[in-house]
Amino acid sequence: MTKNPPQRLLTLAQLSNSVGDGAYYTTSALYFTQVVGLAPARVGLGLTIGWAVGSLAGLPLGRLADRRGPRGTSVLLALATALAVASFTLVGGFLPFVLAACAYAAAQSGLAAARQALLAGLVPTGERTGLLARLQSTLNAGLAVGAGLGGLALHAGTRAAYLTVFAVDAVSFLVCAVLLLGLPRVASVPVRPRGGLGVLRDRPYTVVALLNTVLLLRLPLLSLVLPLWITERTGAPAWLVSALFVLNTAAVTVFQVRAARGVTGLVGATRVLRRSGWVMCAACAVFALSAGASAWVAAGVLVVGAVLQVAAEMGQSAGSWQLSFDLAPADRVGEYQGLFGTGVTVARTLGPLVLTALLVEWGTPGWLLLGGLTLAASYAMGPAARWAAAGRAGEAGRLAEEAGGLDIARPAPLSRPAA
C-alpha cells in the first residue's frame, strides 16, 4: 500500500466499501426474492429503474462536487449510500424497493464522481492512473472478501443473516465517510458558466465517453453471459463459471497495477486501448470456439478466452482512466467524471439484454460481431481523444486572450496533451 497519506486513505476507503458491496451483491437478490417476497422479474425491473436514475444523477452530483468541494460532497454521498442500504431492510413491497434502489444507485453514482474529483485534487496528474490501478486491485480484493462474508449468510439462509449483511454494507460506507473526512480539504474551483447542458456541450468528450461505454459492454460477460453460454452452448462443467470469476478477480487484484505502468498521456492511453482492442477481439473469437466442443476441450478453450479477456479489461481500464482525467478541464473534473461514469451504469443496464441476444442466441457470429465492435471503438478512441485535446488547447488559448484583454496577469497556457 502507498506511503502517501492521502493515497493511503483513499485506498482504505475503497477497501471498506468494497467489502460491504461484495457481501451485498452476493446476497441481495435472494434477500429480495426469498425474504421480502418480490418476484425475480420485479427485482430486475426495480434495479434497472434504479440504475437508470443513478446514471442520470451522476452528472449533477459531480457538478455539485466541483462547486461545493469534492471532499465534503464525497462524505455526504457516502453517508447517503449508507442510509440507502439501511433502507433496504425496511422494504416490504415493490414501490418502496424501487425508491430505495433509486436512492442507492444515485448516491453510488454521485459518490464515484465526487471521489474522482477528490482524487484529481489530491494526486498529481502523473500519479492518477497508477493510483486508480491500485484502487481497482483493492476493489477486487475487497469484493472477494465481501463475497466470502455473503456466502456465510447464504449458508445460514435466515432473515437475521441477510440483515446482518445489509448492516455490514451500511457500516462500510460509514467507515468510508470517516476516512474521506480525514483527507485534506480540496478547495472548490470557480466554475465558468457554460449553459444548462454543461459537459454535454463538449461534443468531443461526450464521444470519448460513448466509445468507452461500448468498451464497457464486457461488464456483464462474467456475471451473466458466460454462465449462460457455458451451460447452454458448451459441454464444459457448470463449476467452471465460478472458476472463471475467481480467475478474473485474482488477475485484476495482482496485475492491474502492472498493466497500468507506462500509461501516461494521450499517446500512451490510446496505444494501450488499441492493443487491448485486439486482445478482446481475440478473446471473443476464442470463446466462440468453445461451442459444441467436448467438456474438457471446451473448458480449456474457455480458460484461454478468460485470460485474454481479463488482459484486455486491465488495458482498457488503464487507458480509459488516463483519458477521462487528461481530457477534463480542471474546474469541472467532478462533472466530467459524472458523465464518464455513466458508461458503467449504461453497460450494466443495457449490456445483459444486448449481449444475451447477441452471444447466447446468435452464437459464433455474435461473438465475432462483439469483437469487431470492440476493436472499432478502441481505434476510434485515438481520433476522438485528439479532437478533445485540441478543444482543450483552444479553450486555454481563449482564456489567456481574455485575461490579457482585461489587463490582468496572463495565466500560463495549458499544455496540449500529447496525441
Side-chain angles (χ1 to χ4, degrees):
M1 187 177 295
T2 176
K3 296 181 180 180
N4 182 287
Q7 295 189 20
R8 183 168 61 246
L9 286 177
L10 286 169
T11 304
L12 290 173
Q14 179 76 294
L15 178 63
S16 172
N17 66 249
S18 62
V19 169
D21 276 346
Y24 166 79
Y25 293 146
T26 305
T27 59
S28 57
L30 291 180
Y31 170 77
F32 293 129
T33 55
Q34 297 182 2
V35 177
V36 178
L38 297 175
R42 287 207 153 195
V43 173
L45 175 61
L47 293 175
T48 298
I49 294 172
W51 284 112
V53 171
S55 66
L56 297 175
L59 197 155
L61 290 173
R63 184 181 300 175
L64 178 67
D66 292 329
R67 294 181 175 178
R68 301 298 182 186
R71 189 190 70 168
T73 305
S74 296
V75 170
L76 290 176
L77 288 171
L79 295 175
T81 306
L83 184 61
V85 171
S87 72
F88 281 128
T89 63
L90 305 176
V91 166
F94 179 65
L95 182 58
F97 168 66
V98 172
L99 294 176
C102 289
Y104 173 78
Q108 282 271 50
S109 297
L111 177 60
R115 283 167 68 164
Q116 295 290 71
L118 182 59
L119 183 150
L122 295 173
V123 180
T125 301
E127 299 178 18
R128 291 173 186 169
T129 297
L131 175 59
L132 284 167
R134 287 192 291 274
L135 293 178
Q136 186 70 12
S137 297
T138 302
L139 171 67
N140 277 265
L143 289 175
V145 173
L149 296 176
L152 296 176
L154 292 176
H155 179 72
T158 63
R159 178 184 178 88
Y162 286 117
L163 294 180
T164 299
V165 166
F166 283 95
V168 168
D169 196 18
V171 169
S172 76
F173 279 95
L174 293 177
V175 173
C176 174
V178 172
L179 291 169
L180 293 175
L181 190 61
L183 290 165
R185 183 184 299 274
V186 176
S188 57
V189 180
V191 179
R192 301 184 302 278
R194 293 190 179 183
L197 293 177
V199 62
L200 296 178
R201 296 181 61 190
D202 190 336
R203 286 179 293 174
Y205 192 90
T206 302
V207 170
V208 171
L210 288 173
L211 291 172
N212 185 59
T213 302
V214 174
L215 299 180
L216 289 171
L217 285 175
R218 58 178 163 74
L219 290 178
L221 278 179
L222 280 177
S223 61
L224 176 66
V225 177
L226 279 176
L228 293 175
W229 175 261
I230 289 171
T231 55
E232 295 186 16
R233 290 292 195 122
T234 79
W239 56 260
L240 188 64
V241 172
S242 176
L244 295 183
F245 184 84
V246 172
L247 170 65
N248 181 277
T249 303
V252 173
T253 302
V254 175
F255 296 112
Q256 180 65 79
V257 174
R258 184 178 302 176
R261 287 176 185 164
V263 181
T264 57
L266 298 188
V267 171
T270 54
R271 182 187 299 118
V272 75
L273 285 169
R274 288 193 299 270
R275 185 167 60 243
S276 297
W278 281 109
V279 176
M280 187 64 193
C281 190
C284 290
V286 170
F287 282 135
L289 292 175
S290 65
S294 63
W296 293 110
V297 171
V301 170
L302 287 165
V303 169
V304 173
V307 170
L308 292 171
Q309 186 269 328
V310 73
E313 173 187 336
M314 290 187 289
Q316 288 171 354
S317 296
S320 296
W321 294 331
Q322 188 72 36
L323 293 182
S324 71
F325 280 108
D326 280 2
L327 299 176
D331 62 338
R332 300 182 112 84
V333 174
E335 181 182 353
Y336 274 60
Q337 289 297 320
L339 174 65
F340 208 81
T342 60
V344 174
T345 53
V346 170
R348 291 198 181 281
T349 302
L350 299 181
L353 177 64
V354 173
L355 294 188
T356 300
L358 189 66
L359 305 179
V360 180
E361 295 183 14
W362 282 17
T364 297
W367 280 110
L368 297 179
L369 181 58
L370 176 62
L373 183 63
T374 301
L375 184 60
S378 299
Y379 268 79
M381 275 290 201
R386 289 191 290 272
W387 182 24
R392 290 277 81 78
E395 181 181 29
R398 288 193 299 274
L399 290 174
E401 291 178 3
E402 290 173 6
L406 292 173
D407 197 26
I408 61 175
R410 183 184 297 271
L414 295 176
S415 60
R416 177 174 176 172

